[in-house]
Amino acid sequence: MKKARGMKKQLVGVVLSNKMDKTVVVAVTRFVKHAKYQKYLKITKKYKAHDEDNAHKVGETVSIIESRPLSKDKHFSVVK
């Protein structure tokens, strides 16, 4: 399955940490239905995102978009 060029993932989450320089940790929560029991599970995943101006504070809701790899595990950028 090929992904069309230019179609980047865009996620919405809450800033958990802004202690790193030009980086924020964003928690993205989604609901997934269990295949057997048909119950919805809350899945939370943390992403490191590039924040050029160090403008975002803990607790803010931000939108992040997929970008080229900026470091070992930072491959998202904060959308303003």
Side-chain angles (χ1 to χ4, degrees), residues 13-20 23-27 51 54-62:
V14 178
V15 176
L16 291 181
S17 171
N18 62 351
K19 295 184 179 191
M20 294 172 274
T23 303
V24 290
V25 178
V26 179
D51 181 18
N54 291 321
H56 301 285
K57 306 293 180 217
V58 175
E60 287 184 17
T61 301
V62 295

Side-chain angles (χ1 to χ4, degrees), residues 56-71:
H56 301 285
K57 306 293 180 217
V58 175
E60 287 184 17
T61 301
V62 295
S63 178
I64 58 175
I65 192 164
E66 193 175 26
S67 66
R68 66 180 179 83
L70 299 166
S71 70

Side-chain angles (χ1 to χ4, degrees), residues 17-58:
S17 171
N18 62 351
K19 295 184 179 191
M20 294 172 274
D21 187 32
K22 297 184 180 182
T23 303
V24 290
V25 178
V26 179
V28 176
T29 303
R30 62 191 184 99
F31 288 94
V32 178
K33 194 172 190 179
H34 192 280
K36 182 175 180 181
Y37 299 112
Q38 305 300 310
K39 181 178 179 177
Y40 284 96
L41 305 172
K42 185 191 271 188
I43 306 294
T44 302
K45 187 168 180 183
K46 293 191 270 187
Y47 296 94
K48 288 183 184 162
H50 186 67
D51 181 18
E52 183 65 38
D53 303 327
N54 291 321
H56 301 285
K57 306 293 180 217
V58 175

